[in-house]
């Protein structure tokens, strides 16, 4: 029974969209209504509120980390095993991209995936985060950096875990991230993807309704 309850609770944790929650707290427009319409830290940053964007990034990463750490804690007590922890990792991610609290309209999952990776293995998490930082420094494009980091994440997992359920979980997360970034991939190939710091499509630039 608990092996069903844990993923369900993880899904509910993942369904807490911090982009929407933080925007409401700061009195900002709903991030689903402007820019990329993606409820994530990059779109919140388009409002010019760096603190709100930072809190969004932290919150979305923290919920992935918390869900997996809790699963690891209960697994060590009750002996649920690696598959239970892996199911929680996937459930919290799916909760983020399809949040029950926000009409199943969620973000693309980059920050939440990072939190999950940090919980599964800090070295893997920091390695992927370092890859993202380096790619961001070089190309200044959030989506491209996320795709590069997601593409390399399974290799980090394979190095640390070998052919295991955790490597399989990281591979599934990477594939889901690529799938969620379909529109970004098309824009990148067409040379139309906005870079970090670009002010296009800010809510203030939109005509009044």
């Amino acid at each position: 029974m608990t092996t069903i309850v844990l993923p369900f609770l993880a899904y509910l944790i993942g369904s807490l969209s911090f982009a929407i929650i933080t925007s409401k707290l700061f009195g900002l427009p709903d991030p689903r209504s402007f820019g990329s319409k993606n409820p994530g830290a990059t779109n919140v940053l388009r409002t010019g509120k760096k603190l709100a964007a930072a809190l969004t990034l932290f919150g979305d990463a923290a919920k992935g980390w918390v869900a997996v750490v809790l699963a690891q804690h209960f697994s060590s007590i009750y002996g649920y095993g690696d598959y239970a922890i892996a199911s929680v990792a996937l459930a919290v991610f799916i909760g983020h991209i399809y949040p029950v609290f926000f009409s199943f309209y969620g973000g693309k999952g980059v920050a939440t995936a990072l939190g999950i990776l940090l919980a599964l293995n800090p070295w893997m998490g920091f390695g992927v985060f370092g890859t993202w930082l380096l790619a961001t420094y070089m190309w200044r494009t959030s989506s491209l950096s996320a795709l590069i980091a997601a593409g390399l994440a399974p290799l980090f997992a394979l190095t640390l875990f070998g052919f295991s359920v955790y490597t399989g979980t990281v591979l599934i997360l990477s594939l889901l991230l690529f799938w969620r970034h379909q529109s970004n991939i098309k824009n990148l190939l067409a040379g139309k993807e906005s870079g970090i710091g670009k002010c296009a499509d800010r809510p203030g630039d939109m005509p009044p309704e």
Side-chain angles (χ1 to χ4, degrees):
M1 178 63 71
T2 310
T3 56
I4 298 175
V5 172
L6 287 178
F8 177 71
L9 292 176
Y11 171 78
L12 294 180
I13 292 173
S15 291
L16 298 171
S17 177
F18 281 90
I20 300 173
I21 295 171
T22 302
S23 293
K24 288 182 178 180
L25 290 175
F26 279 76
L28 302 173
D30 190 318
R32 297 169 293 180
S33 66
F34 65 88
S36 65
K37 295 182 171 57
N38 175 60
T42 300
N43 208 31
V44 173
L45 185 60
R46 286 189 169 96
T47 65
K49 297 291 185 180
K50 294 182 180 179
L51 179 58
L55 289 175
T56 297
L57 182 67
F58 176 79
D60 283 343
K63 68 185 181 184
W65 184 85
V66 167
V68 174
V69 167
L70 286 175
Q72 291 169 333
H73 172 72
F74 286 110
S75 179
S76 66
I77 295 175
Y78 298 107
Y80 294 134
D82 295 340
Y83 282 93
I85 297 172
S87 68
V88 165
L90 292 175
V92 70
F93 186 82
I94 291 172
H96 177 78
I97 61 178
Y98 296 114
V100 66
F101 302 131
F102 299 101
S103 305
F104 301 100
Y105 190 107
K108 294 179 179 177
V110 176
T112 302
L114 175 61
I116 292 169
L117 297 183
L118 285 168
L120 289 177
N121 186 291
W123 290 111
M124 176 172 61
F126 285 122
V128 172
F129 182 60
T131 300
W132 182 87
L133 283 177
L134 179 61
T136 300
Y137 175 78
M138 293 178 66
W139 290 289
R140 301 292 297 174
T141 304
S142 178
S143 59
L144 178 60
S145 303
L147 290 168
I148 292 172
L152 292 177
L155 297 179
F156 282 102
L158 184 61
T159 300
L160 292 165
F161 297 118
F163 292 97
S164 68
V165 63
Y166 291 131
T167 300
T169 300
V170 174
L171 177 59
I172 292 172
L173 291 176
S174 295
L175 291 174
L176 287 172
L177 281 168
F178 270 84
W179 178 64
R180 293 292 288 175
H181 281 80
Q182 290 179 77
S183 61
N184 303 94
I185 292 171
K186 291 178 181 178
N187 287 337
L188 285 166
L189 293 174
K192 298 178 180 179
E193 185 74 350
S194 297
I196 296 175
K198 297 290 182 65
C199 298
D201 294 324
R202 279 189 179 184
D205 298 332
M206 300 172 68
E209 297 182 350

